[in-house]
Amino acid sequence: MSTPAIHLKDVTKSFKGLERPALNQISMKIYPGHITGLVGPDGAGKTTLIRHIIGLMHPDSGDLVVHSFDTVSQSSEIFEICGYMPQKFGLYEDLTVLENLNLYADLRRLSQEKRQEKFERLLKFTDLKRFTNRLAGNLSGGMKQKLGLACSLIGDPKVLLLDEPSVGVDPVSRRELWNMVQDLLDDGIAVVWATAYLDEAEKCDTVLLLNEGAMLFNGSPTEILVPLQGRVFSLSDVPVNDRRHVLMSLMREKEVLDCVLEGENIRVVLFPDCEKPHCSAGHWCEIAPRFEDAFIDKLGGVQNRVSALAEHMPEKEASDRPVIDAQKLTKVFGDFTAVSENDFKIYRGKIFGLLGPNGAGKSTTFKMMCGLLQPTKGHAYVKGLNLKTASSKARSKIGYMAQKFSLYGILTVKQNLDFFAGVYGLGLRQRKQKITSMLKIFDLDQFKNTPAQDLPLGFKQRLALACAVMHEPDVLFLDEPTSGVDPITRREFWLHINSLVEKGVTVMVTTHFMDEAEYCDRIGLIYRGENIATGSPYELKQKAASLGNISEPTLEDAFITLIDQNDLDNSSSKTEGMAS
Protein backbone atom coordinates (compact mmCIF):
# COMPACT_ATOMS: atom_id res chain seq x y z
CA MET A 1 0.00 0.00 0.00
CA SER A 2 1.30 3.46 -0.92
CA THR A 3 1.85 6.32 1.54
CA PRO A 4 -1.48 7.94 2.45
CA ALA A 5 -2.19 11.35 0.92
CA ILE A 6 -4.31 12.28 3.95
CA HIS A 7 -3.97 10.90 7.47
CA LEU A 8 -6.42 11.72 10.26
CA LYS A 9 -5.85 10.54 13.82
CA ASP A 10 -8.46 11.13 16.55
CA VAL A 11 -9.64 14.41 14.95
CA THR A 12 -12.25 16.07 17.16
CA LYS A 13 -14.13 19.35 16.69
CA SER A 14 -16.89 20.89 18.80
CA PHE A 15 -18.97 24.01 18.23
CA LYS A 16 -20.44 26.19 20.94
CA GLY A 17 -24.11 25.48 21.57
CA LEU A 18 -24.11 21.95 20.11
CA GLU A 19 -24.57 18.99 22.43
CA ARG A 20 -22.38 16.60 20.41
CA PRO A 21 -19.01 17.15 18.73
CA ALA A 22 -19.24 17.94 15.00
CA LEU A 23 -16.35 15.46 14.59
CA ASN A 24 -15.69 12.86 17.26
CA GLN A 25 -12.26 11.17 17.18
CA ILE A 26 -12.18 10.52 13.45
CA SER A 27 -9.25 8.36 12.30
CA MET A 28 -8.69 7.28 8.71
CA LYS A 29 -6.22 7.16 5.81
CA ILE A 30 -6.95 8.38 2.27
CA TYR A 31 -4.72 7.16 -0.54
CA PRO A 32 -3.57 8.61 -3.90
CA GLY A 33 -5.36 7.35 -7.00
CA HIS A 34 -8.48 6.49 -5.01
CA ILE A 35 -11.91 8.05 -4.56
CA THR A 36 -13.00 8.16 -0.93
CA GLY A 37 -16.72 8.77 -0.48
CA LEU A 38 -18.09 10.75 2.46
CA VAL A 39 -21.71 9.89 3.21
CA GLY A 40 -24.09 10.52 6.06
CA PRO A 41 -27.29 12.37 6.97
CA ASP A 42 -27.53 16.16 7.01
CA GLY A 43 -25.40 17.52 9.83
CA ALA A 44 -23.30 14.35 10.05
CA GLY A 45 -20.01 16.28 9.77
CA LYS A 46 -19.07 15.78 6.09
CA THR A 47 -18.51 19.46 5.24
CA THR A 48 -16.76 20.07 8.56
CA LEU A 49 -14.35 17.22 7.82
CA ILE A 50 -13.55 18.55 4.33
CA ARG A 51 -12.92 22.04 5.72
CA HIS A 52 -10.48 20.54 8.21
CA ILE A 53 -8.58 18.76 5.43
CA ILE A 54 -8.21 21.97 3.39
CA GLY A 55 -7.14 23.89 6.52
CA LEU A 56 -10.15 26.23 6.75
CA MET A 57 -10.87 24.81 10.21
CA HIS A 58 -8.56 23.47 12.87
CA PRO A 59 -9.38 20.53 15.16
CA ASP A 60 -9.75 20.93 18.91
CA SER A 61 -7.63 17.81 19.27
CA GLY A 62 -6.07 15.13 17.11
CA ASP A 63 -3.72 15.27 14.13
CA LEU A 64 -4.42 15.84 10.44
CA VAL A 65 -1.64 15.60 7.85
CA VAL A 66 -1.96 16.16 4.09
CA HIS A 67 1.09 14.98 2.08
CA SER A 68 3.34 15.45 5.15
CA PHE A 69 1.98 18.97 5.84
CA ASP A 70 0.21 19.69 9.13
CA THR A 71 -3.14 21.41 8.54
CA VAL A 72 -2.71 23.74 11.52
CA SER A 73 0.87 24.96 11.13
CA GLN A 74 1.27 24.54 7.36
CA SER A 75 -2.12 25.51 5.92
CA SER A 76 -0.61 27.68 3.15
CA GLU A 77 1.40 24.69 1.86
CA ILE A 78 -1.77 22.59 1.91
CA PHE A 79 -3.61 25.23 -0.11
CA GLU A 80 -0.96 24.90 -2.83
CA ILE A 81 -1.52 21.16 -3.29
CA CYS A 82 -5.31 20.96 -2.82
CA GLY A 83 -8.25 21.70 -5.10
CA TYR A 84 -11.51 22.46 -3.31
CA MET A 85 -15.02 22.59 -4.73
CA PRO A 86 -17.37 23.77 -1.95
CA GLN A 87 -20.96 22.66 -1.52
CA LYS A 88 -22.36 26.03 -2.48
CA PHE A 89 -21.31 27.24 -5.92
CA GLY A 90 -18.05 29.05 -5.07
CA LEU A 91 -17.79 31.06 -8.28
CA TYR A 92 -18.86 34.54 -9.33
CA GLU A 93 -22.11 34.33 -11.26
CA ASP A 94 -21.71 37.81 -12.77
CA LEU A 95 -18.39 36.79 -14.37
CA THR A 96 -18.07 34.75 -17.53
CA VAL A 97 -16.65 31.23 -17.65
CA LEU A 98 -13.29 32.58 -18.83
CA GLU A 99 -13.25 35.37 -16.24
CA ASN A 100 -13.84 32.84 -13.46
CA LEU A 101 -10.97 30.70 -14.74
CA ASN A 102 -8.71 33.77 -14.81
CA LEU A 103 -9.72 34.71 -11.27
CA TYR A 104 -8.76 31.27 -9.96
CA ALA A 105 -5.54 31.37 -12.01
CA ASP A 106 -4.71 34.69 -10.30
CA LEU A 107 -5.32 33.10 -6.90
CA ARG A 108 -2.98 30.27 -7.90
CA ARG A 109 -0.42 32.79 -9.25
CA LEU A 110 -0.43 31.03 -12.62
CA SER A 111 1.72 32.84 -15.21
CA GLN A 112 0.14 34.18 -18.40
CA GLU A 113 2.32 31.83 -20.44
CA LYS A 114 0.89 28.75 -18.74
CA ARG A 115 -2.73 29.90 -18.72
CA GLN A 116 -3.53 29.36 -22.38
CA GLU A 117 -2.38 25.74 -22.33
CA LYS A 118 -4.06 25.09 -18.96
CA PHE A 119 -7.38 26.71 -19.94
CA GLU A 120 -7.42 24.90 -23.29
CA ARG A 121 -6.98 21.56 -21.55
CA LEU A 122 -9.59 22.24 -18.83
CA LEU A 123 -12.18 23.64 -21.25
CA LYS A 124 -11.79 20.59 -23.47
CA PHE A 125 -11.90 18.28 -20.44
CA THR A 126 -15.18 19.82 -19.18
CA ASP A 127 -16.66 20.53 -22.64
CA LEU A 128 -17.07 24.23 -21.77
CA LYS A 129 -15.07 25.69 -24.66
CA ARG A 130 -18.28 26.76 -26.43
CA PHE A 131 -19.39 28.75 -23.41
CA THR A 132 -16.31 30.79 -22.44
CA ASN A 133 -18.16 34.11 -22.82
CA ARG A 134 -21.34 33.02 -21.03
CA LEU A 135 -21.98 34.37 -17.52
CA ALA A 136 -21.61 31.67 -14.89
CA GLY A 137 -25.05 32.60 -13.53
CA ASN A 138 -26.58 31.68 -16.90
CA LEU A 139 -25.10 28.18 -17.00
CA SER A 140 -27.21 25.10 -16.29
CA GLY A 141 -26.64 23.28 -13.00
CA GLY A 142 -24.46 20.62 -14.64
CA MET A 143 -22.34 23.22 -16.47
CA LYS A 144 -21.85 25.21 -13.27
CA GLN A 145 -20.52 22.11 -11.55
CA LYS A 146 -18.17 21.41 -14.46
CA LEU A 147 -16.87 24.97 -14.22
CA GLY A 148 -16.42 24.55 -10.47
CA LEU A 149 -14.43 21.38 -11.13
CA ALA A 150 -12.29 23.15 -13.75
CA CYS A 151 -11.48 25.98 -11.33
CA SER A 152 -10.53 23.52 -8.58
CA LEU A 153 -8.09 21.80 -10.99
CA ILE A 154 -6.21 24.92 -12.09
CA GLY A 155 -3.40 24.37 -9.60
CA ASP A 156 -2.76 20.72 -10.63
CA PRO A 157 -3.75 19.51 -7.14
CA LYS A 158 -2.53 16.35 -5.49
CA VAL A 159 -5.71 16.27 -3.42
CA LEU A 160 -9.19 17.08 -4.78
CA LEU A 161 -11.96 17.83 -2.27
CA LEU A 162 -15.50 17.77 -3.70
CA ASP A 163 -18.35 18.68 -1.35
CA GLU A 164 -21.52 17.23 -2.90
CA PRO A 165 -20.59 18.28 -6.46
CA SER A 166 -23.59 16.59 -8.11
CA VAL A 167 -26.42 18.04 -5.99
CA GLY A 168 -29.23 19.31 -8.20
CA VAL A 169 -27.57 17.94 -11.33
CA ASP A 170 -29.45 15.78 -13.85
CA PRO A 171 -28.43 12.13 -14.46
CA VAL A 172 -26.61 12.87 -17.74
CA SER A 173 -24.44 15.57 -16.12
CA ARG A 174 -23.86 13.41 -13.04
CA ARG A 175 -22.43 10.61 -15.18
CA GLU A 176 -20.24 13.07 -17.07
CA LEU A 177 -18.95 14.60 -13.82
CA TRP A 178 -18.21 11.18 -12.33
CA ASN A 179 -16.36 10.02 -15.46
CA MET A 180 -14.27 13.21 -15.51
CA VAL A 181 -13.17 12.73 -11.91
CA GLN A 182 -12.36 9.05 -12.49
CA ASP A 183 -10.10 10.08 -15.39
CA LEU A 184 -8.05 12.12 -12.91
CA LEU A 185 -7.12 9.06 -10.85
CA ASP A 186 -4.46 7.98 -13.36
CA ASP A 187 -2.52 11.11 -12.34
CA GLY A 188 -2.40 9.86 -8.74
CA ILE A 189 -4.80 12.47 -7.34
CA ALA A 190 -6.49 11.58 -4.04
CA VAL A 191 -10.20 12.42 -4.34
CA VAL A 192 -12.58 12.99 -1.43
CA TRP A 193 -16.17 13.05 -2.70
CA ALA A 194 -19.00 13.94 -0.31
CA THR A 195 -22.32 12.85 -1.79
CA ALA A 196 -26.04 12.57 -1.13
CA TYR A 197 -26.34 10.03 -3.98
CA LEU A 198 -25.66 6.56 -2.64
CA ASP A 199 -25.20 5.06 -6.11
CA GLU A 200 -22.13 7.32 -6.34
CA ALA A 201 -20.88 6.13 -2.96
CA GLU A 202 -21.21 2.55 -4.18
CA LYS A 203 -18.65 3.30 -6.93
CA CYS A 204 -16.03 4.72 -4.54
CA ASP A 205 -12.94 2.75 -3.56
CA THR A 206 -13.50 3.50 0.13
CA VAL A 207 -16.50 4.90 1.98
CA LEU A 208 -16.59 6.79 5.26
CA LEU A 209 -20.07 6.85 6.82
CA LEU A 210 -20.59 9.60 9.37
CA ASN A 211 -23.51 10.27 11.69
CA GLU A 212 -23.67 13.01 14.33
CA GLY A 213 -19.91 13.48 14.04
CA ALA A 214 -19.08 9.82 14.70
CA MET A 215 -17.68 7.31 12.22
CA LEU A 216 -20.09 4.38 11.74
CA PHE A 217 -18.16 2.66 8.95
CA ASN A 218 -14.84 2.95 7.13
CA GLY A 219 -14.13 0.44 4.37
CA SER A 220 -15.02 -0.72 0.87
CA PRO A 221 -18.64 -0.50 -0.36
CA THR A 222 -18.80 -4.31 -0.59
CA GLU A 223 -17.79 -4.82 3.08
CA ILE A 224 -20.75 -2.81 4.36
CA LEU A 225 -23.17 -5.16 2.58
CA VAL A 226 -22.20 -8.33 4.47
CA PRO A 227 -24.70 -7.90 7.38
CA LEU A 228 -27.54 -7.46 4.86
CA GLN A 229 -27.27 -10.93 3.32
CA GLY A 230 -30.62 -12.74 3.50
CA ARG A 231 -32.50 -9.64 4.63
CA VAL A 232 -33.38 -7.93 1.33
CA PHE A 233 -36.41 -8.97 -0.75
CA SER A 234 -38.36 -7.89 -3.79
CA LEU A 235 -42.15 -8.09 -3.78
CA SER A 236 -43.26 -8.52 -7.39
CA ASP A 237 -46.58 -8.78 -9.26
CA VAL A 238 -48.30 -6.20 -7.08
CA PRO A 239 -51.13 -4.60 -9.10
CA VAL A 240 -50.03 -1.15 -10.30
CA ASN A 241 -52.99 0.63 -8.68
CA ASP A 242 -52.26 -1.07 -5.34
CA ARG A 243 -48.50 -0.49 -5.14
CA ARG A 244 -48.68 2.73 -3.12
CA HIS A 245 -51.17 1.26 -0.63
CA VAL A 246 -49.13 -1.96 -0.22
CA LEU A 247 -45.95 0.07 0.25
CA MET A 248 -47.53 2.20 3.00
CA SER A 249 -48.89 -0.92 4.71
CA LEU A 250 -45.50 -2.67 4.69
CA MET A 251 -43.85 0.42 6.15
CA ARG A 252 -45.96 -0.04 9.27
CA GLU A 253 -44.91 -3.67 9.81
CA LYS A 254 -42.55 -4.16 12.77
CA GLU A 255 -40.30 -6.56 10.80
CA VAL A 256 -39.59 -3.99 8.06
CA LEU A 257 -36.49 -1.80 8.34
CA ASP A 258 -36.96 -0.04 4.99
CA CYS A 259 -39.37 -0.21 2.09
CA VAL A 260 -39.24 1.59 -1.29
CA LEU A 261 -40.63 1.27 -4.79
CA GLU A 262 -38.15 -0.22 -7.25
CA GLY A 263 -39.38 -0.35 -10.80
CA GLU A 264 -42.56 -2.42 -10.89
CA ASN A 265 -41.65 -4.10 -7.59
CA ILE A 266 -41.37 -3.14 -3.92
CA ARG A 267 -37.95 -3.46 -2.30
CA VAL A 268 -38.14 -4.54 1.35
CA VAL A 269 -35.29 -4.68 3.89
CA LEU A 270 -35.98 -6.60 7.10
CA PHE A 271 -34.56 -6.10 10.56
CA PRO A 272 -32.06 -8.83 11.61
CA ASP A 273 -33.57 -12.22 12.44
CA CYS A 274 -37.05 -11.26 11.21
CA GLU A 275 -39.39 -13.23 8.94
CA LYS A 276 -41.16 -11.68 5.96
CA PRO A 277 -44.43 -10.03 7.02
CA HIS A 278 -47.68 -11.42 5.65
CA CYS A 279 -48.75 -9.73 2.42
CA SER A 280 -51.65 -11.02 0.34
CA ALA A 281 -50.47 -9.20 -2.81
CA GLY A 282 -47.41 -10.16 -4.86
CA HIS A 283 -44.60 -12.72 -4.67
CA TRP A 284 -41.47 -12.56 -2.50
CA CYS A 285 -37.97 -13.10 -3.87
CA GLU A 286 -34.66 -12.65 -2.06
CA ILE A 287 -32.33 -10.19 -3.86
CA ALA A 288 -28.80 -8.87 -3.39
CA PRO A 289 -28.33 -5.94 -1.00
CA ARG A 290 -27.10 -2.56 -2.23
CA PHE A 291 -25.24 0.28 -0.55
CA GLU A 292 -28.40 2.26 0.20
CA ASP A 293 -29.84 -0.70 2.15
CA ALA A 294 -26.68 -0.79 4.28
CA PHE A 295 -26.78 2.98 4.80
CA ILE A 296 -30.33 2.82 6.15
CA ASP A 297 -29.41 -0.23 8.25
CA LYS A 298 -26.41 1.51 9.86
CA LEU A 299 -28.63 4.46 10.79
CA GLY A 300 -31.24 2.21 12.40
CA GLY A 301 -33.95 2.45 9.76
CA VAL A 302 -36.65 5.02 9.09
CA GLN A 303 -38.12 6.25 12.37
CA ASN A 304 -41.40 7.80 11.18
CA ARG A 305 -43.76 5.19 9.67
CA VAL A 306 -46.99 7.22 9.64
CA SER A 307 -47.40 10.72 8.20
CA ALA A 308 -48.73 13.04 10.89
CA LEU A 309 -49.13 15.63 8.12
CA ALA A 310 -51.55 13.44 6.15
CA GLU A 311 -53.50 12.61 9.33
CA HIS A 312 -54.27 16.34 9.65
CA MET A 313 -55.27 16.66 5.96
CA PRO A 314 -58.99 16.31 5.10
CA GLU A 315 -59.99 13.93 2.30
CA LYS A 316 -60.22 15.76 -1.04
CA GLU A 317 -63.48 15.53 -2.95
CA ALA A 318 -63.71 12.96 -5.74
CA SER A 319 -63.79 14.16 -9.35
CA ASP A 320 -63.51 12.68 -12.84
CA ARG A 321 -62.17 15.94 -14.28
CA PRO A 322 -58.42 16.62 -14.43
CA VAL A 323 -57.22 18.62 -11.43
CA ILE A 324 -54.30 20.02 -13.46
CA ASP A 325 -54.67 20.65 -17.19
CA ALA A 326 -51.94 22.16 -19.38
CA GLN A 327 -52.95 22.97 -22.95
CA LYS A 328 -50.27 23.89 -25.51
CA LEU A 329 -48.35 25.63 -22.73
CA THR A 330 -45.62 27.85 -24.24
CA LYS A 331 -43.22 30.41 -22.78
CA VAL A 332 -40.88 32.58 -24.85
CA PHE A 333 -38.23 34.92 -23.42
CA GLY A 334 -37.05 37.21 -26.21
CA ASP A 335 -35.88 34.90 -28.97
CA PHE A 336 -35.55 31.91 -26.62
CA THR A 337 -38.37 29.37 -26.28
CA ALA A 338 -38.15 27.92 -22.76
CA VAL A 339 -41.31 25.78 -23.04
CA SER A 340 -42.96 24.74 -26.30
CA GLU A 341 -46.59 23.58 -26.58
CA ASN A 342 -46.59 21.20 -23.63
CA ASP A 343 -49.78 19.23 -22.92
CA PHE A 344 -50.57 17.11 -19.88
CA LYS A 345 -53.47 16.25 -17.58
CA ILE A 346 -53.22 15.13 -13.96
CA TYR A 347 -56.12 13.60 -12.06
CA ARG A 348 -57.09 13.57 -8.38
CA GLY A 349 -54.74 11.62 -6.11
CA LYS A 350 -52.04 11.09 -8.73
CA ILE A 351 -48.35 12.05 -8.92
CA PHE A 352 -47.07 13.48 -12.19
CA GLY A 353 -43.31 13.85 -12.54
CA LEU A 354 -41.46 16.29 -14.76
CA LEU A 355 -38.01 14.92 -15.57
CA GLY A 356 -35.32 16.41 -17.76
CA PRO A 357 -31.80 17.84 -17.82
CA ASN A 358 -30.96 21.14 -16.12
CA GLY A 359 -32.33 24.02 -18.16
CA ALA A 360 -34.91 21.86 -19.96
CA GLY A 361 -37.87 24.06 -18.93
CA LYS A 362 -39.22 22.17 -15.89
CA SER A 363 -39.15 25.09 -13.44
CA THR A 364 -40.60 27.47 -16.07
CA THR A 365 -43.48 25.01 -16.56
CA PHE A 366 -43.98 24.90 -12.80
CA LYS A 367 -44.12 28.67 -12.51
CA MET A 368 -46.75 28.88 -15.26
CA MET A 369 -48.84 26.17 -13.57
CA CYS A 370 -48.66 28.09 -10.28
CA GLY A 371 -49.61 31.41 -11.87
CA LEU A 372 -46.19 32.93 -11.15
CA LEU A 373 -45.49 33.27 -14.90
CA GLN A 374 -48.01 34.03 -17.61
CA PRO A 375 -47.70 31.71 -20.63
CA THR A 376 -46.88 33.30 -23.97
CA LYS A 377 -49.38 30.91 -25.54
CA GLY A 378 -51.65 28.16 -24.27
CA HIS A 379 -53.60 27.76 -21.05
CA ALA A 380 -53.07 26.36 -17.54
CA TYR A 381 -56.03 25.18 -15.44
CA VAL A 382 -56.19 24.11 -11.79
CA LYS A 383 -59.50 22.52 -10.73
CA GLY A 384 -61.12 24.03 -13.82
CA LEU A 385 -59.90 27.55 -12.99
CA ASN A 386 -57.87 29.36 -15.64
CA LEU A 387 -54.71 30.67 -13.99
CA LYS A 388 -54.76 33.67 -16.34
CA THR A 389 -58.31 34.88 -15.60
CA ALA A 390 -58.95 33.50 -12.10
CA SER A 391 -55.40 33.45 -10.73
CA SER A 392 -56.10 34.36 -7.08
CA LYS A 393 -58.90 31.79 -6.71
CA ALA A 394 -56.79 29.11 -8.43
CA ARG A 395 -53.72 29.87 -6.29
CA SER A 396 -55.74 29.30 -3.12
CA LYS A 397 -55.95 25.64 -4.21
CA ILE A 398 -52.16 25.37 -4.72
CA GLY A 399 -49.19 24.67 -2.47
CA TYR A 400 -45.80 25.45 -4.05
CA MET A 401 -42.33 24.44 -2.88
CA ALA A 402 -39.76 26.16 -5.07
CA GLN A 403 -36.51 24.64 -6.36
CA LYS A 404 -34.37 27.20 -4.57
CA PHE A 405 -35.10 27.79 -0.90
CA SER A 406 -37.87 30.39 -1.27
CA LEU A 407 -38.40 31.41 2.34
CA TYR A 408 -37.11 34.48 4.13
CA GLY A 409 -33.66 33.75 5.54
CA ILE A 410 -33.60 36.55 8.10
CA LEU A 411 -36.99 35.55 9.53
CA THR A 412 -37.16 32.81 12.13
CA VAL A 413 -38.88 29.49 11.47
CA LYS A 414 -41.98 30.63 13.37
CA GLN A 415 -42.05 33.99 11.57
CA ASN A 416 -41.86 32.27 8.17
CA LEU A 417 -44.79 30.02 9.10
CA ASP A 418 -46.76 33.01 10.35
CA PHE A 419 -46.01 34.97 7.16
CA PHE A 420 -47.13 32.21 4.81
CA ALA A 421 -50.23 31.49 6.90
CA GLY A 422 -51.15 35.14 6.37
CA VAL A 423 -50.43 34.97 2.64
CA TYR A 424 -52.78 31.99 2.35
CA GLY A 425 -55.49 33.92 4.20
CA LEU A 426 -55.71 31.86 7.39
CA GLY A 427 -57.56 33.57 10.25
CA LEU A 428 -55.75 34.33 13.51
CA ARG A 429 -57.10 31.31 15.42
CA GLN A 430 -56.51 28.89 12.53
CA ARG A 431 -53.08 30.44 11.93
CA LYS A 432 -52.01 29.80 15.51
CA GLN A 433 -53.25 26.19 15.38
CA LYS A 434 -51.50 25.50 12.07
CA ILE A 435 -48.17 26.96 13.21
CA THR A 436 -48.22 24.81 16.35
CA SER A 437 -49.17 21.77 14.27
CA MET A 438 -46.43 22.30 11.64
CA LEU A 439 -43.73 22.85 14.27
CA LYS A 440 -44.64 19.50 15.80
CA ILE A 441 -45.17 17.50 12.58
CA PHE A 442 -41.83 18.55 11.04
CA ASP A 443 -39.85 18.52 14.32
CA LEU A 444 -39.19 22.25 13.94
CA ASP A 445 -40.09 23.32 17.47
CA GLN A 446 -36.42 23.10 18.49
CA PHE A 447 -35.62 25.67 15.76
CA LYS A 448 -38.69 27.91 16.03
CA ASN A 449 -36.60 30.99 16.97
CA THR A 450 -33.75 30.19 14.55
CA PRO A 451 -33.39 32.27 11.36
CA ALA A 452 -34.29 30.10 8.36
CA GLN A 453 -30.91 30.81 6.74
CA ASP A 454 -29.14 29.12 9.67
CA LEU A 455 -31.05 25.83 9.46
CA PRO A 456 -29.42 22.60 8.23
CA LEU A 457 -30.52 21.85 4.66
CA GLY A 458 -32.88 19.02 5.63
CA PHE A 459 -34.73 21.28 8.07
CA LYS A 460 -34.88 24.10 5.51
CA GLN A 461 -36.66 21.69 3.18
CA ARG A 462 -39.02 20.62 5.96
CA LEU A 463 -39.87 24.25 6.66
CA ALA A 464 -40.47 24.94 2.95
CA LEU A 465 -42.86 21.98 2.74
CA ALA A 466 -44.61 23.05 5.95
CA CYS A 467 -45.21 26.52 4.50
CA ALA A 468 -46.56 24.99 1.26
CA VAL A 469 -49.22 22.83 2.95
CA MET A 470 -50.48 25.06 5.77
CA HIS A 471 -53.69 25.91 3.89
CA GLU A 472 -54.45 22.24 3.05
CA PRO A 473 -54.14 22.64 -0.74
CA ASP A 474 -55.79 20.38 -3.32
CA VAL A 475 -52.66 20.56 -5.50
CA LEU A 476 -49.01 20.41 -4.46
CA PHE A 477 -46.22 21.58 -6.76
CA LEU A 478 -42.81 20.33 -5.60
CA ASP A 479 -39.78 21.57 -7.55
CA GLU A 480 -36.86 19.28 -6.58
CA PRO A 481 -38.07 19.06 -2.97
CA THR A 482 -35.31 16.69 -1.80
CA SER A 483 -32.31 18.07 -3.70
CA GLY A 484 -29.20 17.64 -1.57
CA VAL A 485 -30.85 15.97 1.42
CA ASP A 486 -29.89 12.54 2.70
CA PRO A 487 -31.86 9.30 2.05
CA ILE A 488 -33.45 9.24 5.52
CA THR A 489 -34.88 12.74 5.01
CA ARG A 490 -35.93 11.84 1.45
CA ARG A 491 -37.90 8.87 2.76
CA GLU A 492 -39.60 11.13 5.30
CA PHE A 493 -40.63 13.50 2.48
CA TRP A 494 -42.03 10.70 0.35
CA LEU A 495 -43.88 9.23 3.31
CA HIS A 496 -45.71 12.57 3.55
CA ILE A 497 -46.20 12.85 -0.23
CA ASN A 498 -47.55 9.30 -0.67
CA SER A 499 -49.81 9.69 2.35
CA LEU A 500 -51.19 13.01 1.05
CA VAL A 501 -51.88 11.38 -2.32
CA GLU A 502 -53.89 8.69 -0.57
CA LYS A 503 -56.02 11.54 0.84
CA GLY A 504 -56.70 12.73 -2.73
CA VAL A 505 -54.08 15.50 -3.00
CA THR A 506 -52.73 15.85 -6.54
CA VAL A 507 -48.96 16.24 -6.84
CA MET A 508 -46.69 17.53 -9.59
CA VAL A 509 -42.98 17.05 -8.88
CA THR A 510 -39.56 17.48 -10.45
CA THR A 511 -36.60 15.44 -9.27
CA HIS A 512 -33.13 14.29 -10.33
CA PHE A 513 -33.42 11.17 -8.13
CA MET A 514 -34.59 8.42 -10.47
CA ASP A 515 -35.65 6.22 -7.55
CA GLU A 516 -38.05 9.00 -6.51
CA ALA A 517 -39.43 9.22 -10.05
CA GLU A 518 -40.59 5.59 -9.64
CA TYR A 519 -43.27 6.90 -7.26
CA CYS A 520 -44.88 8.88 -10.09
CA ASP A 521 -48.02 7.54 -11.75
CA ARG A 522 -47.00 9.28 -14.97
CA ILE A 523 -43.91 11.14 -16.14
CA GLY A 524 -43.31 13.82 -18.75
CA LEU A 525 -39.73 13.90 -20.03
CA ILE A 526 -38.89 17.53 -20.85
CA TYR A 527 -35.96 18.28 -23.14
CA ARG A 528 -35.12 21.64 -24.69
CA GLY A 529 -38.55 22.94 -23.75
CA GLU A 530 -40.51 20.10 -25.34
CA ASN A 531 -42.26 17.10 -23.83
CA ILE A 532 -40.48 14.33 -25.76
CA ALA A 533 -42.08 11.36 -23.97
CA THR A 534 -45.00 10.82 -21.58
CA GLY A 535 -46.07 7.68 -19.78
CA SER A 536 -45.75 5.63 -16.62
CA PRO A 537 -42.21 4.77 -15.45
CA TYR A 538 -42.77 1.26 -16.84
CA GLU A 539 -43.89 2.60 -20.24
CA LEU A 540 -40.87 4.90 -20.54
CA LYS A 541 -38.52 2.02 -19.70
CA GLN A 542 -40.21 -0.21 -22.25
CA LYS A 543 -39.87 2.50 -24.88
CA ALA A 544 -36.17 2.86 -24.07
CA ALA A 545 -35.71 -0.93 -24.24
CA SER A 546 -37.16 -0.95 -27.76
CA LEU A 547 -34.68 1.76 -28.81
CA GLY A 548 -31.48 0.55 -27.16
CA ASN A 549 -29.58 -2.62 -26.39
CA ILE A 550 -30.59 -2.76 -22.71
CA SER A 551 -32.96 -5.62 -21.90
CA GLU A 552 -34.05 -4.33 -18.49
CA PRO A 553 -33.33 -0.58 -18.42
CA THR A 554 -33.53 1.43 -15.24
CA LEU A 555 -35.38 4.74 -15.28
CA GLU A 556 -32.00 6.48 -15.50
CA ASP A 557 -31.16 4.37 -18.56
CA ALA A 558 -34.52 5.36 -20.07
CA PHE A 559 -33.87 9.05 -19.29
CA ILE A 560 -30.55 8.99 -21.15
CA THR A 561 -31.69 6.73 -24.02
CA LEU A 562 -34.77 8.81 -24.84
CA ILE A 563 -32.78 12.07 -24.80
CA ASP A 564 -30.06 10.56 -27.00
CA GLN A 565 -32.71 9.30 -29.42
CA ASN A 566 -34.31 12.76 -29.57
CA ASP A 567 -30.93 14.29 -30.42
CA LEU A 568 -30.42 11.65 -33.10
CA ASP A 569 -33.88 12.27 -34.60
CA ASN A 570 -33.33 16.04 -34.67
CA SER A 571 -29.88 15.62 -36.21
CA SER A 572 -31.32 13.37 -38.93
CA SER A 573 -34.12 15.86 -39.63
CA LYS A 574 -31.62 18.70 -40.03
CA THR A 575 -29.47 16.60 -42.37
CA GLU A 576 -32.48 15.69 -44.48
CA GLY A 577 -33.56 19.34 -44.57
CA MET A 578 -30.14 20.47 -45.76
CA ALA A 579 -30.09 17.73 -48.40
CA SER A 580 -33.47 18.78 -49.76
Side-chain angles (χ1 to χ4, degrees), residues 293-450:
D293 302 327
F295 179 96
I296 301 295
D297 183 46
K298 286 287 185 184
L299 293 172
V302 180
Q303 300 304 310
N304 296 323
R305 304 302 181 100
V306 177
S307 170
L309 174 62
E311 289 185 335
H312 285 75
M313 181 71 70
E315 185 84 26
K316 300 301 177 183
E317 62 180 354
S319 174
D320 293 331
R321 298 177 61 188
V323 177
I324 298 172
D325 189 0
Q327 301 177 3
K328 302 294 182 185
L329 210 56
T330 300
K331 186 63 183 178
V332 179
F333 297 99
D335 58 357
F336 173 67
T337 302
V339 176
S340 178
E341 298 193 347
N342 282 350
D343 292 299
F344 51 83
K345 289 179 170 62
I346 313 173
Y347 291 86
R348 175 190 177 275
K350 299 295 182 182
I351 303 176
F352 186 85
L354 279 185
L355 302 187
N358 297 105
K362 303 184 299 296
S363 293
T364 302
T365 301
F366 255 54
K367 289 173 183 176
M368 286 190 284
M369 294 306 306
C370 293
L372 299 175
L373 271 179
Q374 288 295 331
T376 306
K377 290 192 299 183
H379 300 281
Y381 296 91
V382 171
K383 294 206 75 177
L385 299 168
N386 190 321
L387 278 160
K388 194 169 186 177
T389 58
S391 58
S392 60
K393 194 172 181 181
R395 283 180 197 158
S396 68
K397 311 287 185 184
I398 292 170
Y400 175 51
M401 183 175 167
Q403 182 180 28
K404 293 183 179 178
F405 186 54
S406 58
L407 306 177
Y408 292 90
I410 60 173
L411 297 184
T412 66
V413 166
K414 191 173 181 180
Q415 288 168 338
N416 267 289
L417 289 169
D418 187 55
F419 173 79
F420 278 88
V423 167
Y424 288 127
L426 300 186
L428 289 177
R429 179 179 296 178
Q430 190 182 12
R431 187 185 304 188
K432 186 176 180 180
Q433 290 174 343
K434 278 293 179 183
I435 291 171
T436 301
S437 175
M438 291 299 154
L439 289 172
K440 183 178 180 181
I441 289 170
F442 290 99
D443 195 25
L444 288 166
D445 201 55
Q446 59 182 315
F447 297 112
K448 65 182 179 183
N449 297 317
T450 301

Side-chain angles (χ1 to χ4, degrees), residues 106-164:
D106 288 341
L107 292 172
R108 293 289 180 180
R109 299 186 297 279
L110 194 68
S111 68
Q112 292 296 328
E113 294 75 27
K114 292 182 178 179
R115 290 189 192 204
Q116 185 172 355
E117 178 190 351
K118 173 75 71 172
F119 289 0
E120 185 73 23
R121 182 163 58 85
L122 289 173
L123 289 169
K124 182 179 179 181
F125 177 62
T126 55
D127 195 27
L128 288 172
K129 194 170 184 178
R130 298 166 291 162
F131 308 104
T132 52
N133 294 319
R134 183 175 294 187
L135 294 178
N138 293 335
L139 296 174
S140 69
M143 291 163 67
K144 283 181 180 179
Q145 299 303 74
K146 290 178 184 178
L147 177 56
L149 178 61
C151 289
S152 68
L153 293 172
I154 278 179
D156 289 327
K158 295 181 179 179
V159 173
L160 183 60
L161 305 168
L162 306 173
D163 196 355
E164 301 200 4

Side-chain angles (χ1 to χ4, degrees), residues 538-558:
Y538 175 76
E539 289 168 343
L540 294 187
K541 284 183 280 189
Q542 289 299 104
K543 185 174 182 179
S546 68
L547 293 170
N549 298 319
I550 308 172
S551 58
E552 295 184 11
T554 64
L555 198 51
E556 182 168 313
D557 294 328

